[in-house]
Amino acid sequence: MFGKRKKEPQPEINIQRNVSHTVVRTVPEIITCKYSATGNRKYQQDAVYVSGSKKIAANRKTRVMAAVCDGMGGMADGEKASRTAITMLKDGFEKIEKDPNVNIPLFFQSGIKAIDKVIHDFHEEGEKGSGTTMVAVITEENRLYWASVGDSRIYLLRGDEIKLVTRDHNYYLRLMQMVENGSMTKEEAMRHRQKEALISFLGIGNVKLMDVIDKPFEMQTGDMVLLCSDGVTKTLSKDRIKMILKNDAVSMQKKAEILVEAAVRENTYSQDNTSVALLQYIETKITKER
């Protein structure tokens, strides 16, 4: 009788399989653009600046700045005033753009005072005096800081809502104080001939009335920020501005152009210089197979 045959050991076979998986990465970005028109005025006294669009880096602070200045046409050389304000603000921003420890509200406050003094001193050069309004924003990642002097404006569009985040520094503020203390009715304030007269601007000298937020607010994906001179807001309603900004069929640059051109077209009698700067915070999802 035969015994059972022992099984021979089998060689090990290594089978390597290529296992792939999907990686989804979110890339945040700030998109910027600007547009300006002279209107039916002889000179362009608006000045606009936007730093370029940027993808937000994960390992360092990424900052973007935009500003709109409206030179005061009733004063000598408003064009020089607005250009000076933009140039000084831009130069200052380039110095602190990559500083990890910069205090942005303090940057705005000190910058406003320095610009105000330079423009106020124009009269020492033989000029009668100049002035300009200013609105400016700096984004740090998705956090937005802003500053305002005068009656240019900043709007925030989020979803279906548009909000004015600045206030106009004009005599209407004083009139509203009179309404609150009972010395004037709101109807009387609305009829006041000087209600739109500026009470604060760059070049006034020792400027005190400025709005600079201490704490930024966080932007959500899709949020759009509009900075504009009063050439826009004295012609187009807030709802009309919202309708143009919400037109997803056109690019950001085209939205800026449509805003300005609509204001110029709809006020052919006395359309002021008209300028806008636009920023949008977006998050794009990038899918890769690995």
Side-chain angles (χ1 to χ4, degrees):
M1 192 172 185
F2 295 96
K4 291 183 179 179
R5 185 177 178 182
K6 293 181 179 180
K7 291 183 178 180
E8 297 291 334
Q10 299 294 318
E12 293 184 2
I13 301 175
N14 294 325
I15 300 176
Q16 294 183 345
R17 294 181 175 87
N18 293 324
V19 179
S20 64
H21 61 277
T22 302
V23 176
V24 179
R25 185 165 62 97
T26 300
V27 180
E29 183 177 4
I30 299 288
I31 301 173
T32 64
C33 64
K34 64 179 181 177
Y35 193 68
S36 189
T38 305
N40 60 13
R41 303 299 172 89
K42 291 182 179 180
Y43 305 103
Q44 175 58 274
Q45 294 184 320
D46 287 357
V48 189
Y49 170 77
V50 293
S51 52
S53 301
K54 288 184 181 179
K55 287 183 170 58
I56 296 175
N59 58 348
R60 66 178 183 275
K61 289 184 177 179
T62 305
R63 298 190 180 106
V64 168
M65 189 183 79
V68 171
C69 292
D70 182 356
M72 297 169 66
M75 305 179 78
D77 211 352
E79 179 182 2
K80 180 180 178 181
S82 62
R83 287 199 320 265
T84 298
I86 287 291
T87 298
M88 290 181 66
L89 196 63
K90 173 179 175 290
D91 291 347
F93 175 70
E94 289 175 349
K95 292 177 182 177
I96 60 96
E97 182 178 359
K98 298 179 181 179
D99 183 347
N101 301 313
V102 68
N103 183 315
I104 294 176
L106 183 59
F107 165 78
F108 274 139
Q109 291 165 6
S110 58
I112 286 169
K113 291 177 182 178
I115 295 167
D116 173 65
K117 184 179 187 311
V118 168
I119 296 175
H120 182 257
D121 289 346
F122 282 174
H123 70 275
E124 295 182 359
E125 302 169 14
E127 300 174 12
K128 295 180 180 179
S130 299
T132 183
T133 69
M134 185 192 80
V135 284
V137 299
I138 291 178
T139 65
E140 187 177 80
E141 282 78 57
N142 69 327
R143 299 182 297 278
L144 182 79
Y145 297 84
W146 59 262
S148 173
V149 182
D151 63 355
S152 293
R153 292 181 176 181
I154 301 173
Y155 290 88
L156 171 67
L157 177 72
R158 173 172 291 171
D160 196 46
E161 294 185 12
I162 187 168
K163 179 181 179 182
L164 174 64
V165 300
T166 53
R167 58 178 182 163
D168 297 341
H169 295 160
N170 53 30
Y171 191 57
Y172 187 69
L173 288 178
R174 301 285 185 262
L175 294 173
M176 285 298 98
Q177 292 173 351
M178 297 178 193
V179 172
E180 290 175 5
N181 64 30
S183 61
M184 177 181 288
T185 68
K186 189 171 184 180
E187 290 73 21
E188 289 173 330
M190 293 298 294
R191 291 195 302 267
H192 200 288
R193 294 179 62 183
Q194 298 297 317
K195 67 179 184 292
E196 294 183 354
L198 289 179
I199 59 174
S200 185
F201 54 87
L202 297 177
I204 196 171
N206 194 25
V207 61
K208 290 183 173 61
L209 179 55
M210 65 178 85
D211 290 330
V212 179
I213 61 168
D214 293 326
K215 295 182 180 180
F217 60 85
E218 291 191 3
M219 291 186 290
Q220 300 174 5
T221 184
D223 280 358
M224 198 176 301
V225 180
L226 166 67
L227 297 79
C228 59
S229 61
D230 65 359
V232 172
T233 55
K234 288 184 177 179
T235 303
L236 303 180
S237 68
K238 188 166 72 169
D239 286 342
R240 183 71 188 284
I241 292 171
K242 182 179 79 169
M243 183 184 71
I244 293 171
L245 294 180
K246 282 182 63 64
N247 183 4
D248 294 333
V250 298
S251 66
M252 281 272 291
Q253 180 63 46
K254 190 63 178 176
K255 290 176 184 179
E257 295 171 10
I258 291 172
L259 273 171
V260 171
E261 290 167 359
V264 172
R265 183 176 61 251
E266 295 180 20
N267 186 4
T268 58
Y269 176 69
S270 61
Q271 182 57 37
D272 196 359
N273 302 152
T274 307
S275 302
V276 303
L278 274 176
L279 298 87
Q280 186 174 34
Y281 175 75
I282 63 171
E283 294 178 352
T284 304
K285 292 188 182 301
I286 298 176
T287 303
K288 289 185 177 182
E289 297 292 333
R290 290 186 178 177

